[in-house]
């Protein structure tokens, strides 16, 4: 940028004379002008950037808020997983523990009882729509999960109290797995591998090689021990209180096991085999109540965790073929 021309009055010559600048003065003046322009332009740029993007503090705060939202989304996923686990416990509670003990089931609606009205979480409306929605969902579902857990805890306490009051009766209920093998097939309509068509399968099939140990599932008296039609070598235990358990396709009975023998839960009573009409070696196990077959899976609660129960239930629901 060029310097402007300035004049001063020379009294001797009686005329205006232009002011002359040396090279250094011209360089200093030009540099000052450019620095001033740079400062002005930088200020304008910073103002525009702050208005459109935000100050450094605002940018850091936005990043922090986004990270919090991401964490809340991860928490939402974990809450959903926990809610599913509590639902599984509730199903096992109703279908296994309460059903076998003859206790009244807790209705699902009662387990999921809500609280408050629609404006309970309106305090979150001051935030952005995305943040408000995820905060409301998290708060509502955490509260629901807490209620479900509390109800489940009360239920388990009731079951424990009932069990303690009826301990003698509980000794006789067939309540453990009769052998160590995993369940292969369940109760209900199943395809029979020998007959070649579907028919009612009245028990559980446990995987077992010939000679695997079989245990009494509850206290009782041996009612039958011998060969019986398609069951092959069969053992029946009368557990009193209307319960009986059947152990079929055995290879042999344990020493001393015969009609009239008293047994306790966990006693060795026989060994697995493949006698009778079967596809291969295994244990066929039944539970009868008042002479009527019932689903034995619901009675496997004394040595089965809720997670194992849900696994067994999934197996029997997906396998429509029996071993006998």
């Amino acid at each position: 940028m060029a310097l402007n021309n300035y004049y001063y009055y020379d009294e001797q010559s009686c005329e205006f004379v232009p002011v002359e600048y040396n090279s250094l003065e011209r360089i200093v003046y030009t540099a000052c002008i450019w620095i001033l322009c740079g400062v002005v332009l930088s200020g304008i740029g910073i103002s525009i950037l702050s208005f459109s993007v935000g100050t450094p503090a605002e940018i850091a705060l936005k990043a922090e808020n986004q990270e919090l939202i991401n964490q809340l989304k991860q928490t939402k996923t974990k809450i959903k997983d926990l809610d599913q686990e509590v639902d599984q416990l509730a199903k096992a509670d109703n279908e296994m523990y309460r059903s076998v003990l003859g206790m009244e089931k807790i209705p699902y609606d009662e387990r999921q009882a809500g609280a408050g009205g629609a404006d309970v979480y309106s305090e979150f409306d001051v935030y952005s729509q995305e943040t408000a929605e995820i905060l409301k969902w998290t708060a509502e579902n955490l509260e629901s999960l807490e209620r479900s857990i509390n109800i489940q805890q009360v239920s388990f306490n009731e079951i424990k109290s009932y069990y303690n009051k009826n301990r003698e009766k509980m000794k006789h209920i067939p309540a453990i797995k009769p052998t160590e093998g995993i369940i292969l097939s369940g109760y209900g309509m199943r395809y029979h591998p020998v007959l070649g068509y579907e028919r009612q399968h009245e028990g559980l099939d446990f995987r077992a090689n010939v000679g695997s140990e079989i245990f009494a599932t509850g206290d009782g008296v041996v009612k039958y021990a011998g060969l019986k039609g398609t069951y092959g070598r069969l053992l029946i235990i009368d557990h009193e209180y209307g319960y009986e358990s059947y152990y079929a396709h055995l290879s042999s009975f344990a020493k001393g096991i015969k009609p009239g023998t008293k047994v306790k839960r966990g006693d060795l009573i026989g060994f697995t085999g493949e006698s009778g009409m079967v596809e291969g070696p295994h244990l066929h196990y039944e539970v009868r109540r008042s002479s009527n077959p019932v689903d034995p899976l619901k009675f496997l609660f004394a040595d089965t965790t809720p997670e194992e129960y849900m696994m067994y239930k999934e197996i029997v629901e997906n396998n429509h073929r029996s071993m006998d």
Side-chain angles (χ1 to χ4, degrees), residues 39-266:
V39 170
V40 172
L41 291 175
S42 297
I44 295 173
I46 291 173
S47 298
I48 294 173
L49 186 64
S50 298
F51 180 78
S52 60
V53 179
T55 65
E58 289 174 337
I59 294 173
L61 186 60
K62 287 180 181 179
E64 182 178 342
N65 288 341
Q66 186 59 50
E67 181 61 27
L68 289 174
I69 290 176
N70 293 338
Q71 290 294 328
L72 282 173
K73 288 179 179 179
Q74 294 179 17
T75 301
K76 182 176 180 179
T77 301
K78 292 179 181 178
I79 291 174
K80 287 182 177 179
D81 293 339
L82 286 173
D83 195 47
Q84 290 179 353
E85 291 182 12
V86 171
D87 279 345
Q88 290 180 351
L89 284 174
K91 289 178 182 177
D93 182 45
N94 273 344
E95 297 177 8
M96 186 164 61
Y97 305 130
R98 289 180 170 268
S99 176
V100 172
L101 295 175
M103 299 175 65
E104 185 177 349
K105 296 181 180 180
I106 300 177
Y108 182 78
D109 291 342
E110 183 177 333
R111 292 178 181 271
Q112 298 295 318
D119 296 327
V120 175
Y121 308 108
S122 58
E123 61 191 85
F124 298 125
D125 290 336
V126 297
Y127 304 111
S128 67
Q129 182 177 354
E130 181 185 18
T131 302
E133 287 178 355
I134 195 168
L135 284 173
K136 287 181 179 181
W137 187 96
T138 302
E140 182 179 0
N141 283 271
L142 278 176
E143 186 175 343
S144 175
L145 186 61
E146 183 179 7
R147 288 195 303 272
S148 297
I149 291 173
N150 288 338
I151 291 173
Q152 189 60 61
Q153 184 62 53
V154 170
S155 177
F156 281 149
N157 290 337
E158 289 177 352
I159 291 171
K160 182 179 179 180
S161 176
Y162 185 92
Y163 174 84
N164 289 335
K165 290 179 181 179
N166 297 270
R167 185 169 296 179
E168 185 59 34
K169 178 181 177 181
M170 289 301 300
K171 292 179 182 179
H172 293 266
I173 292 179
I176 66 172
K177 291 181 292 184
T179 191
E180 293 298 324
I182 194 170
I183 294 174
L184 297 174
S185 183
Y187 179 88
M189 294 299 294
R190 296 290 186 273
Y191 178 83
H192 196 287
V194 179
L195 297 176
Y197 61 85
E198 283 194 351
R199 71 171 188 173
Q200 180 68 17
H201 188 241
E202 297 182 339
L204 300 176
D205 290 339
F206 287 84
R207 181 173 62 193
N209 297 321
V210 175
S212 296
E213 295 180 328
I214 302 171
F215 307 97
T217 55
D219 292 6
V221 179
V222 176
K223 179 179 179 180
Y224 182 88
L227 295 173
K228 191 174 181 66
T230 58
Y231 282 112
R233 189 167 282 102
L234 173 68
L235 177 68
I236 302 176
I237 296 177
D238 181 359
H239 298 282
E240 302 180 31
Y241 304 100
Y243 291 100
E244 291 180 343
S245 57
Y246 283 50
Y247 312 80
H249 312 305
L250 277 60
S251 60
S252 61
F253 304 116
K255 184 178 180 180
I257 295 298
K258 59 184 178 180
T261 302
K262 291 183 178 181
V263 295
K264 292 186 176 297
R265 179 181 292 154

Side-chain angles (χ1 to χ4, degrees), residues 177 183 297 304 308-316:
K177 291 181 292 184
I183 294 174
L297 184 61
T304 302
E308 288 175 326
Y309 173 80
M310 297 308 298
M311 178 185 71
Y312 294 150
K313 186 176 181 182
E314 183 178 358
I315 291 174
V316 301

